[in-house]
Amino acid sequence: MRRASLRFLQDILKAPSPSGYEQPAQAVVRAYASEFADDVRTDVHGNVIASLNASGAPRIMFAGHVDQIGFITQHIDDKGFISFRGIGGHDVAVLLGQRVSVWTKGGPVQGVIARKAIHVLTGDERGKVPEMHDLWVDIGAKSKDEAAGIVNIGDPITFELGFGELRNGLAHAPGMDDKVGVWVSIEALRLLDGKTFDASVFAVSTVQEEIGLRGAHTSAFGIEPLAAIAVD
């Protein structure tokens, strides 16, 4: 893979973008696409739209969603533990023990998802998957005042972000769904740069897919393509 293209994929995977809070990742998309697109704009919904030959016909749209599942801070208890609710759909069974980042105004704060220790769980509690309201994020704070001095209600939370390589040319990252789709869409536009064609081509990094395909709907209405290709 071209080194700059791999770096673009890594950069968007490392940028936080839970649904409704996509702008850090969208800033990465805008900067990269601006190197080759004729025009790059952000619509009122937050979708980033890059285009080549925008006055041509027919109009073709590639799209991938940049948002990822995450959480939102809901409550801080007297011990400094943070209750949260999900953004998008989660398998609660895999949450316990996950390392997370709370994205505060002062920057990311590291934490871990926890629940009551196993030796104080009842028999019934041990035998069933916990509900999300049974879990909390522990950032190491000793009190509510300490935690509240760092974290605000409404701060978004993501799994600990990063990019890891596996055997046989594979990789892993929490935001693969669907930042790989964004990468494919933007890279397709880059590969068309400098070529002659009649169509107008739009590559869109959409928002809020995990909570209802919202950005894909609004961007498609704005562009009005003859054909739209969603990479998911």
Side-chain angles (χ1 to χ4, degrees):
M1 184 188 298
R2 195 179 71 115
R3 184 170 298 178
S5 299
L6 176 59
R7 186 167 57 251
F8 170 51
L9 176 60
Q10 292 171 334
D11 287 347
I12 55 175
L13 287 168
K14 292 175 182 178
S17 61
S19 301
Y21 300 86
E22 298 94 349
Q23 288 313 305
Q26 293 292 54
V28 175
V29 175
R30 281 193 298 271
Y32 182 74
S34 294
E35 297 175 7
F36 50 83
D38 292 337
D39 180 67
V40 180
R41 62 185 176 88
T42 302
D43 69 14
V44 69
H45 205 163
N47 302 298
V48 171
I49 301 169
S51 62
L52 288 171
N53 194 33
S55 61
R59 299 164 73 84
I60 298 170
M61 171 179 161
F62 302 126
H65 69 87
V66 79
D67 61 307
Q68 60 191 111
I69 58 174
F71 311 94
I72 190 166
T73 303
Q74 187 178 55
H75 175 73
I76 302 172
D77 72 12
D78 291 339
K79 296 180 180 179
F81 297 138
I82 299 168
S83 297
F84 57 88
R85 289 294 176 265
I87 298 175
H90 288 274
D91 180 354
V92 180
V94 304
L95 297 185
L96 193 59
Q98 292 277 1
R99 293 185 293 185
V100 297
S101 298
V102 185
W103 296 91
T104 73
K105 291 181 179 179
V109 174
Q110 304 306 306
V112 64
I113 296 178
R115 69 165 176 171
K116 289 192 300 184
I118 191 168
H119 60 273
V120 297
L121 293 175
T122 66
D124 287 342
E125 288 173 329
R126 292 185 189 185
K128 67 178 183 179
V129 175
E131 301 288 342
M132 195 173 290
H133 61 253
D134 297 322
L135 308 179
W136 58 78
V137 172
D138 185 352
I139 62 170
K142 295 181 179 179
S143 67
K144 181 174 184 175
D145 287 344
E146 181 183 353
I150 304 168
V151 175
N152 289 317
I153 304 303
D155 283 344
I157 304 169
T158 64
F159 297 114
E160 187 174 75
L161 301 179
F163 178 88
E165 296 188 27
L166 303 173
R167 296 176 62 86
N168 299 310
L170 301 176
H172 66 90
M176 285 285 191
D177 177 13
D178 180 39
K179 292 179 181 179
V180 169
V182 173
W183 180 84
V184 169
S185 299
I186 300 298
E187 281 292 286
L189 194 75
R190 181 185 67 80
L191 292 171
L192 290 172
D193 181 35
K195 295 181 169 56
T196 301
F197 48 89
D198 294 330
S200 57
V201 182
F202 299 83
V204 187
S205 176
T206 68
V207 298
Q208 298 184 31
E209 188 273 349
E210 298 289 357
I211 54 175
L213 293 170
R214 297 176 181 177
H217 284 295
T218 55
S219 58
F221 276 113
I223 294 170
E224 296 185 329
L226 173 68
I229 302 169
V231 187
D232 197 351

